[in-house]
Amino acid sequence: MTVQLDRRTFLMGTGTALAVTTLPSPARAQGKPVRIGLLTVKTGPLAAGGIQMEQGTIRFLKDRNYTLAGRKVELVVADTGGNPAGTKTKTQELTERDNVDMILGPLAAFELLAITDYTAQAKMPLLSLAAAEDMTQRRPNPYFIRASATSSQNMHPLADYAAKELKFKRVITIADDFAFGHEQMAGFQRVFEDAGGRVVKKLWPPLVTPDYTPYLAQISGVDAVVQGFAGSNPLKFMKQYKDQGLTLPVLGGGTACDDALLKSYGDEAIGLISCSFYTGDLDTPSNKRLVDGMVKDYGNIPGLYAAGLYINGMIAEAALEKTGGKTEDREAFNRALRAVSLTDTPRGPFTFDRLGNVVGAFYIRRCEKKGDKLVNTTIKTYPKVSQFWTYDEKWFLSQPVYSRDYPPLKS
Amino acid sequence: MNLWVVLAVNSITLGGLLFLLSAGFSLIFGLMKIPNLAHGSFFMLGAYFATSLIARGFNFWAAALVGGLLVAAFGGIVERLILRRLAGAELAQVLVTLGLSFMVADVCLMVWTGDPIRIDTPRGLRGATSLLGLGFPTYRLAISLIAVIFAAALWALLDRTRLGAMIRAGVDDPSMARVVGIRVSRLFTIVFCLGAWLAGFAGVIGGPILSVYPGLDQEMLPLALVVVILGGSGSLLGSLVGSFVVGFLYNFGQAMFPELAYVVLFLPMLIVLVVRPQGLFGRQAL
């Protein structure tokens, strides 16, 4: 299809454009569009989440007709390639060449760590899903906010639920052997043990593990298994778990049974209990709009990556409204971002704490089969969960950061 | 006690899958001296093809055969159009096949998206079989059996048939083979297609265990390399033994020394390379 551009339409077009841009309007601070940079991953093993991030962002901007607080929005999408060096390069391009006003993303913690110093220096607001604990704890970046969850923020409520409602006493944890896995399981352990439970063994398969059977062979003598896998690993793990004939209940974090993963799962996921900041069945107008829009545009129900970016879009919108659409004063815009407090979002109401991390609802879901489809049914909501759970912030921050060996196992 | 039995049986079943994966690599590398770094991509492509075929109503085994054939056809094209021009240039072959694997990964991402796709375990092989009083996944046991059958069939093909004799002649002395009327170049295409078919087939067979997702290619390739280096290139027996050795190293290593999972897997390979560079069953380096 080609667009015929004759002189008349050209003149009319420019005329209208001129009229619009010169028209004084209180809602519009300036004619220049807001530029939003999106750092995502569209190639390699992390691509599934990255593509969903882009879909969520575009879905949000379509909902707003690419206009936020009266200003047009331009989205600049950059593919980091899923590695720190690529992320650094793309961040510099977005900042210095594309002159974006804020950056959404990146996806992974190691990508985030590669750019945090640079973005802080450049005073570039960063709205990311990356879960690395210390980014909002002991090493905060004043221009970084996280509306999703820290690694352990999903696991604290899950551990509480496992100990108090499911009455589990002894569990074995198994998670990817990298920071996200370590932090998740450490968070689970602290709350579970404080509630009287006991983590008897922690298993750490390498991130790239084709076969989990050597680990599965070591699972016995407990009430349940807690898994903290991400990407496509939860799928592989659950399949092999059931094939091996294991029947112990399985609990998992936000990435273990993400809604976007449900279409890839088979019956082995039935009964899997997970905790996430996002759940597809949340009954809010904005979530309905998100789910319907994603199904219409992409034929997919959204998971945490799409929802997370949709929510980041809403945060940007709220902050822009507060500054009257202005972004030149980076400090003021950043303050506005951190002061955002929303009630109707796809994850429910939330605010930010002083370190820029979300305080919001977390949902315990059980995977069930309805018709021939798997769904996550919310069975309990923990409202206003902070990254420090119920612990005192000062005490929490005085402890070592969650890691592979901290807290240590009680032996 | 039970743990050791479970690990031993798991080692054997993983070894079976590794043999299917590495036999094709060993065949191509041993006979044609091509280090085919796109082998993992062939594996992944086979699995992806199978998901599409199964979605179109093929049963699992038919999808495995056809998926393998599609990969074989792709392998044939690669050999005819590219690798043939680079005969003897190992560095160029390494770079070309590595580049090819990146391209295949991107195309797979475009066609099948980044979402992981699971392949159902074929009917009849679901569930567990009781063995020594313990339950083991039936499908995994079946894979070991398939691996042994394949090993025997490949051995018979290379050692007992006219085609096999021609291939061996073409490998040992290509110019002499040409003189006696063997079309060496066509033979090499056949060998390459066969290797690609084996990889594609293995991808489908591994699908129900591994599921299919971007990055699967890069996960499997190193395992194939370790098997072939341990066992020795060009030796089917070497591939078979190497696969089971890696199967045992992997299972017992991960269970006993979880911190050193990769050391346990790769250190024996290093030792073999130093002590016996041609591998346990490899022929003397030429």
Side-chain angles (χ1 to χ4, degrees), chain B residues 146-220:
Chain B
I146 295 173
V148 173
I149 293 171
F150 265 61
L154 282 172
W155 171 79
L157 174 76
L158 288 177
D159 248 44
R160 287 283 179 272
T161 66
R162 191 180 143 74
L163 179 68
M166 279 160 46
I167 291 174
R168 279 179 288 131
V171 170
D172 286 342
D173 194 340
S175 32
M176 188 56 83
R178 276 192 200 97
V179 169
V180 298
I182 297 173
R183 298 181 62 177
V184 176
S185 79
R186 184 191 289 174
L187 272 183
F188 276 14
T189 308
I190 292 173
V191 170
F192 200 86
C193 287
L194 182 61
W197 185 84
L198 280 168
F201 180 79
V204 188
I205 295 291
I209 297 178
L210 306 168
S211 74
V212 200
Y213 50 91
L216 179 64
D217 48 348
Q218 303 300 333
E219 258 179 50
M220 298 311 283

Side-chain angles (χ1 to χ4, degrees), chain A residues 90-100 118 122 124:
Chain A
K90 293 292 176 185
T91 309
Q92 282 167 336
E93 279 179 19
L94 287 177
T95 311
E96 284 155 34
R97 190 190 65 193
D98 301 318
N99 292 315
V100 299
Y118 172 77
M124 176 60 70

Side-chain angles (χ1 to χ4, degrees), chain A residues 12 44 69 126 177 235 242 273 284 347 351 353 362 371 385:
Chain A
M12 267 174 61
L126 204 52
D177 195 359
L235 189 72
K242 283 286 146 77
I273 288 179
T284 63
R347 64 162 297 173
T351 54
D353 62 20
F362 283 77
V385 174

